[in-house]
Amino acid sequence: MPLLTIFRTALLRSGTSFRLIAALYVINLVFAGIIALGFRSAIASSGGVAALAPLMDGFDFTIVSDYMHTRGDGVRAVMQTALIMMAVSSVGNSVMAGGVLTLLRDGNSFSLRAFFAGCGAYALRFIRLMLATGAVTIVTLAAVLGLAGSVAGTVDATSENVPIAWMAGGLIASAALLLLMLMAGDYARVMIVHTDARSSLRTLLASSRFVVRNFFAATGLQLLMTAVAGACIVLYLCLEPALPATSGGAILVLFFMQQFFVAARIWARVAIYTGELGFYDSRRPAGPESAW
Amino acid sequence: MKTSVLVVLTLASALVAAPSRAQQMFPAPLSERVVSYAIDVRLDPVGKQLQGRERLTWRNSSSDLVGELRFHLYLNAFRNSATTFMRESGGRFRTPGADDRGWIDLKSLETPDGTSLLGRAEFISPDDGNDSDRTVLRLPLPAPVRPGKTITLIATFTARLPRVVARTGFVPGDFIMAGQWFPKIGVYEPAGMRSAREGGWNCHQFHSNTEFYADFGVYDVNITTPDRFVVGATGLRVRETRNSDSTVTYAYHAEDVHDFAWAASPFFEEVTDTWRHVTIRALMQPQHLHQAARHIGAAKAALDYLDAHVGSYPYPALTIVDPAWGGFRAGGMEYPMLITAGTFSIMPEGLRWPETVTVHEVGHNYFYGMLASNEFEEAWLDEGLDQYFETRIMDDAFGARASQADLCGFHFGDFELTRAGYATMKNPRSAPIATYAWQFPRGNYGALTYDKTAVVMKTLEGMVGIATMDSIMKTYFRRWGFRHPSGRDFIAVVNEVVRTIHGNRFGNDMNWYFDQTIDGTGLCDYELTAIDVSPGPPPAKGEGDGPKEDSAAGPVFTSTITISRLGEVILPVEILVRFSDGSTAKEIWDGTARVKEFRHVRNAGAVWAGIDPERKIALDIDVTNNVKSVDPPRGVLWKYTLKVLFWVQNLFHFAAIFT
């Protein structure tokens, strides 16, 4: 199936997964909301709220730096909690990927029962897969960036352009490796859901082979989908400064705009899975297949 | 020999030895010209060595008999790991191996008649008694120098430049920054000069935090380098001679300066421009050539501003040196008529590091260059006042909220950053500003010398007004330019100008302010402690100022504003009160008491009160306790809560990339 057809089909099919996207959005909102309300509470109880009023009209470095210096402990604690929650959410997302892929594979309409059944069916395998993909990626990136960094740091150059080129090369190579690992991880999940393979590591190897064999098509699809998600963020960053949010109404508009973009990113993620499922279906050998 | 021949020879030698009229910078000396240096130096780019011959003439401008001379041999600070500089830097500047070390050795030291004095010389360590330190040389003289008389010495020396450290040295690839590279005589301070109680040499060792102090004079320096090198130096280039050995000798002449530095590299790209009478020469690294306009533009902005608010830049030249890759430690340094900046190939316009450094170092040509205070003992007079003007220039040129960075919606100004440098110190009470540079607790020199001084000056500006501040600076420059002012001299100027303009509005003098801020370690922190609004008139008896009644018929409210002085520093402060009917009231308080209450009886209750609403008291260490409102502002809370929500949502989403 041509790449653009898969892409178009993925966008259309994911567009019909409204309830699934809504469920993922609500989960994301609830957990992030806990952190955000913690942030609000930390600020409100710090005793310096009145001084923050000028921030309504824009950033004020003096107020922010003094605030963080004298009353920032609560905010710092909330931020640390957010980072811990980020790690927890990685595991949560792994588990939820089983539910998402099961629903997309079966093409059934969304039900919590089916969603959680899918989550439970693949939870352990997907968590192992996440750990394996993450570990391989971290080790590989550390090696590439470490090599590039050490060469950049020791190269005898009269211009920083030489070390910058080394670092840029390292970053580009790292980005390419990261993309490959992300694709391998995604297709491994797709293969597990398709074939019910038991071994996460073997499936990761099989999916890596699949990605390499179908490198251009798989990468093209991934880049197309990533571009859609990236465009959402870029659009937000362009629009946000135009909305200074200096009144209650404007803050409400800001909130809806933010949530629209968050939902768009979640939709883009679902669309990527849909596209990968379709692509894998179109390229796998006819008949039932086991990863091993 | 015939008399006529003698006359011709004498005239000819005079023409060779002294600069011609055309080479003179100024029709009349601007300074006392205590010293005169004529130096021939040859660069060995392979060994990173300088072979030099120096003819020094020193004039005893005091009324004392001076029986010894003292010299700085700064490069010896990098001679080994036991020097005072290295010890104090705690290994921060320790270089990897002997090949990277720097030193200077005197080969000979003679009078013009050939009498060697080298055997008399000894290294001394007047500051710490460190026997391993060879940065100060004492030379007892066979006969004292009488008041008004001169002594001439001829020295030959070999100097080895270190790998760039403390703003001097080399970078592999032939970037040379020759700073503090020659034997330099100290400053003889007679009793009464600055804080000297009796006559003596002010010639400190080279410390980790310290910079320099020297007398004004005339420099004639011939620099010989391989002909592939592009050279920039203090002064005017008056001659260029191509030699038979593929070298070039550049002759430089400088007047009324107290140091001489030069830089050389085969890779410099030269860009020139002019500002009024000044030729600005930027020696850029090829990869930074596209930023030459940023550097030159910043230099012009600084010269414009300083000319308008301090005094004229009299020199005809200014050279900006852009250090090579790996030479970051050569960047951000001031020498007379020559500064070093520093940038990277990728430097967005919104990051104003090159501009900031350039403005700062051009400013140093005033606060150090012409106002030649003692950087060892009173670093605040050069670094602090210069930092104050850097913030004024940058904020004027790029806006007070964006003069340091203005990128992707994130912005802050130069003064904002400078103030934060002081206000967010771990221990801002660790030492007074008036501390010898090497005696600051480790890590506190910069924040207290640069940042706190700038904040002290900004606060003074807030109190007396910018016009008075300019008048102070112009008077200080006019009176102390090309001399060696002390902190007391600066404060005396402040006292004089403030009293002339404001009478005794601030008291008989401003010593009360400088005692607290320059000599003291206390903090300034005023807090708006409470706003209490109660219906009805105030109780018959109460503490605080008598209630200010401003009520018409109708319901009456008594608003009590409580202010506390949490810090030790006492300054007059303004308090602004807003009432529910939109009216305001301003109070001025002398700031003395620990707690103070103000009462207002009006038809409307207070809804908001703020100390120092115009942020004139930059010294106030915490602006977040300066304001109180009856109802907390909910809008700002929600605005930032939602922003945090959005970014945490994205963070969680990002966490899903492996899942």
Side-chain angles (χ1 to χ4, degrees), chain B residues 520-576:
Chain B
T521 59
L523 299 185
C524 174
D525 188 11
Y526 286 97
E527 179 193 65
L528 200 312
T529 308
I531 302 175
D532 295 309
V533 181
S534 57
K541 287 184 179 178
E543 291 185 358
D545 274 5
K548 297 193 171 61
E549 299 211 19
D550 188 15
S551 58
V556 170
F557 297 89
T558 301
S559 304
T560 306
I561 314 299
T562 308
I563 299 155
S564 304
R565 176 168 63 82
L566 305 182
E568 301 83 7
V569 171
I570 297 170
L571 295 176
V573 291
E574 294 176 356
I575 300 104
L576 183 67

Side-chain angles (χ1 to χ4, degrees), chain A residues 19-32:
Chain A
R19 292 180 67 192
L20 172 63
I21 292 167
L24 295 173
Y25 166 76
V26 168
I27 292 168
N28 176 280
L29 180 65
V30 167
F31 281 96

Side-chain angles (χ1 to χ4, degrees), chain A residues 25 28-29 31-33 35-36 39-40 43-44 47-53 55-56 58-63 65-67 69-71 82 85-86 89-90 93-94 97 130 133 137 156-161 163 178 182 189 233 236-237 240 244-245 251 255 258-259 262 265-266 269 273, chain B residues 171-174 267 285 287-288 324-325 343-346 401 409-413 416-417 419-420 423-426 527 608 615 620-629 632-659:
Chain A
Y25 166 76
N28 176 280
L29 180 65
F31 281 96
I35 300 291
F39 170 82
R40 188 183 187 284
I43 299 271
V49 184
L52 302 181
L55 298 181
M56 191 73 172
F59 181 72
D60 186 315
F61 181 81
T62 299
I63 289 174
S65 71
D66 279 15
Y67 184 89
H69 182 64
T70 57
R71 303 160 194 270
M85 289 289 285
M86 183 182 167
S89 100
S90 288
N93 280 315
S94 269
M130 177 196 77
T133 315
T137 306
D156 204 7
T158 55
S159 155
E160 67 264 43
N161 289 348
L178 182 64
L182 292 179
R189 274 181 286 277
I233 287 294
Y236 173 79
L237 291 175
E240 203 235 2
I251 291 171
F255 172 70
Q258 289 171 337
Q259 296 313 306
V262 171
R265 284 195 65 182
I266 292 171
R269 182 67 182 137
Y273 271 141
Chain B
V171 174
D174 284 346
F267 304 108
Q285 298 299 317
Q287 68 273 21
H288 302 157
W325 172 245
T343 187
F344 297 99
S345 299
I346 301 167
R401 292 287 174 88
F410 184 65
H411 55 83
F412 50 89
E416 289 181 313
L417 189 67
R419 183 195 160 279
T424 61
M425 282 180 75
K426 277 187 181 167
E527 179 193 65
W608 180 95
R615 289 199 197 164
D620 193 323
I621 203 97
D622 179 12
V623 300
T624 66
N625 65 6
N626 285 14
V627 177
K628 272 261 187 290
S629 58
R634 292 198 177 82
V636 71
L637 269 179
W638 278 117
K639 177 175 176 175
Y640 286 91
T641 299
L642 294 181
K643 285 196 177 220
V644 167
L645 172 70
F646 176 66
W647 289 112
V648 172
Q649 283 178 290
N650 279 282
L651 195 68
F652 287 178
H653 196 79
F654 176 75
I657 63 168
F658 291 122
T659 58

Side-chain angles (χ1 to χ4, degrees), chain B residues 6 10 17 96 106 127 129 198 203 212 230 285-286 292 310 325 329 343 409 432 453 522 535 548 601 618 654:
Chain B
L6 274 174
T10 306
L106 278 179
D127 298 335
E198 56 183 22
C203 191
F212 315 107
V230 178
Q285 298 299 317
V310 181
W325 172 245
R329 284 174 175 171
T343 187
T453 305
K548 297 193 171 61
V601 181
F654 176 75

Side-chain angles (χ1 to χ4, degrees), chain B residues 273-521:
Chain B
D273 203 336
T274 55
W275 176 84
R276 299 185 191 172
H277 62 286
V278 181
T279 300
I280 301 175
R281 188 168 175 242
L283 299 179
M284 306 298 295
Q285 298 299 317
Q287 68 273 21
H288 302 157
L289 192 57
H290 61 288
Q291 293 178 37
R294 290 177 66 175
H295 287 75
I296 291 172
K300 285 182 173 182
L303 289 170
D304 268 334
Y305 197 94
L306 291 161
D307 181 78
H309 298 274
V310 181
S312 297
Y313 180 85
Y315 303 110
L318 175 68
T319 299
I320 304 167
V321 174
D322 173 30
W325 172 245
F328 189 70
R329 284 174 175 171
M333 186 57 191
E334 69 279 8
Y335 294 103
M337 304 169 68
L338 180 142
I339 62 171
T340 67
T343 187
F344 297 99
S345 299
I346 301 167
M347 182 62 72
E349 296 273 343
L351 291 180
R352 304 208 166 92
W353 171 250
E355 287 86 351
T356 306
V357 178
T358 304
V359 164
H360 187 89
E361 307 313 337
V362 170
H364 267 310
N365 267 266
Y366 286 73
F367 304 103
Y368 147 84
M370 291 179 269
L371 292 155
S373 48
N374 187 328
E375 295 187 294
F376 292 90
E377 297 179 1
E378 295 180 301
W380 66 276
L381 276 178
D382 60 290
E383 294 297 357
L385 295 186
D386 187 36
Q387 183 68 22
Y388 165 63
F389 264 95
E390 176 205 300
T391 64
R392 281 183 59 172
I393 296 165
M394 290 297 293
D395 289 359
D396 180 70
F398 298 104
R401 292 287 174 88
S403 56
Q404 267 291 304
D406 187 8
L407 209 62
C408 303
F410 184 65
H411 55 83
F412 50 89
D414 197 15
F415 183 74
E416 289 181 313
L417 189 67
T418 298
R419 183 195 160 279
Y422 163 63
T424 61
M425 282 180 75
K426 277 187 181 167
N427 185 5
R429 290 186 175 93
S430 59
I433 288 174
T435 298
Y436 284 6
W438 68 92
Q439 292 175 347
F440 280 96
R442 183 168 290 172
N444 290 346
Y445 163 76
L448 290 172
T449 303
Y450 290 64
D451 299 338
K452 185 180 176 186
T453 305
V455 173
V456 167
M457 293 302 141
K458 197 72 171 180
T459 304
L460 180 63
E461 177 194 310
M463 286 193 291
V464 302
I466 197 159
T468 303
M469 203 66 194
D470 284 353
S471 186
I472 289 168
M473 288 301 175
K474 285 177 179 172
T475 306
Y476 176 54
F477 181 77
R478 200 166 51 243
R479 189 166 300 164
W480 287 101
F482 301 98
R483 296 170 67 191
H484 298 303
S486 69
R488 285 193 312 186
D489 299 323
F490 174 75
I491 292 168
V493 170
V494 174
N495 289 339
E496 176 190 319
V497 173
V498 170
R499 190 166 177 79
T500 301
I501 294 175
H502 297 284
N504 60 358
R505 183 180 149 199
F506 296 99
N508 288 332
D509 55 45
M510 297 297 287
N511 291 348
W512 60 270
Y513 179 66
F514 293 107
D515 288 347
Q516 296 182 92
T517 56
I518 300 291
D519 295 319
T521 59

Side-chain angles (χ1 to χ4, degrees), chain B residues 207-219:
Chain B
H207 297 266
S208 173
N209 279 341
T210 57
E211 291 189 299
F212 315 107
Y213 181 45
D215 263 320
F216 285 97
V218 176
Y219 284 78

